[in-house]
Amino acid sequence: MIDAVKEILIDEETIRKTVNDLAKRINEDYKGKNLVLLIILKGSSVFASDLARKLNMDVTLEFMQVSSYGSGSVSSGEIKILKDAQIDLNGRDVLIAEDIIDSGNTLNALVKLLQKRGANVEICTLLSKPSRREVQVDVKYTGIEIPDEFVVGYGLDYAEKFRQLPYIGILKREVYTN
Ligand code: PRP
């Protein structure tokens, strides 16, 4: 464990099992379909690449990068598209892969945007912090619900660091309060 991390919240084995369970449900639900797995950069990249390799229907990988408007870590109801998908999503089965849902603002706005484009959208998130929710989001696949702690690793960052950790850890308070 690295020094900045106070404790491991979710270890590698639990992550692996959670990803497998999610993939199993998705494989059953989308059997015979042609799925667009929409990977939301950057946080979802690690989770989605593990998830994608467990899927056994026809899968197209697409990427978007969005950011919430607003200052600091507080997200508002609007999103800015930093990188857009490269294919027409009209009529497609789109599964959004997210690393974490916090306030719900990012996903709420993104789902509306994709529905406007004619996509049949569902959400798969590895982590969810239900206590932080500001807007209701219908999430079909949730991996693990976690408490309101500052978590890093397996794609999640603090100031663009720690995404590469193979586990999800709780960051020491002094790392982000200086
Ligand atoms: C994180 C996460 C979600 C969003 C969730 O992304 O990947 O997209 O925040 O927060 P919300 O539910 O409060 O809207 P972030 O903007 O930190 O970008 P990153 O994935 O590049 O780290």
Side-chain angles (χ1 to χ4, degrees):
M1 193 167 79
I2 62 161
D3 193 45
V5 167
K6 184 172 75 175
E7 69 178 77
I8 294 176
L9 183 67
I10 308 170
D11 63 19
E12 290 182 64
E13 175 59 21
T14 307
I15 292 173
R16 197 182 59 77
K17 192 180 169 307
T18 304
V19 173
N20 283 347
D21 290 348
L22 289 168
K24 193 161 172 259
R25 290 177 55 202
I26 295 164
N27 281 332
E28 283 163 11
D29 293 351
Y30 288 92
K31 196 173 180 174
K33 298 211 167 153
N34 186 349
L35 181 68
V36 177
L37 188 67
L38 185 60
I39 299 164
I40 309 303
L41 301 171
K42 299 178 186 172
S44 173
S45 56
V46 179
F47 163 55
S49 64
D50 280 347
L51 180 70
R53 283 176 289 176
K54 300 285 174 188
L55 299 180
N56 54 27
M57 73 295 289
D58 285 342
V59 176
T60 299
L61 300 183
E62 275 295 315
F63 299 86
M64 282 183 79
Q65 188 169 14
V66 298
S67 78
S68 298
Y69 285 106
S71 57
S73 62
V74 180
S75 56
S76 70
E78 298 291 319
I79 48 168
K80 186 161 56 176
I81 298 175
L82 304 175
K83 183 204 179 320
D84 208 341
Q86 303 295 300
I87 60 168
D88 182 5
L89 297 175
N90 187 25
R92 301 296 304 269
D93 286 314
V94 175
L95 182 62
I96 298 172
E98 260 294 16
D99 53 335
I100 189 164
I101 302 182
D102 195 329
S103 70
N105 285 312
T106 305
L107 266 294
N108 180 51
L110 184 59
V111 166
K112 281 185 187 153
L113 173 74
L114 297 172
Q115 284 173 340
K116 218 183 283 178
R117 293 180 179 181
N120 174 25
V121 189
E122 298 289 356
I123 297 168
C124 175
T125 187
L126 177 67
L127 305 176
S128 175
K129 282 185 184 173
S131 64
R132 296 262 303 171
R133 206 71 92 243
E134 292 170 11
V135 287
Q136 201 248 327
V137 185
D138 288 329
V139 183
K140 189 160 186 188
Y141 309 97
T142 299
I144 303 174
E145 293 193 344
I146 61 168
D148 186 16
E149 298 277 7
F150 201 132
V151 287
V152 295
Y154 200 67
L156 292 123
D157 75 311
Y158 166 64
E160 296 299 331
K161 289 186 288 187
F162 311 120
R163 293 192 199 273
Q164 87 285 5
L165 300 176
Y167 53 81
I168 292 162
I170 299 177
L171 201 60
K172 283 181 183 163
R173 182 169 285 272
E174 62 260 35
V175 176
Y176 60 90
T177 51
N178 281 325

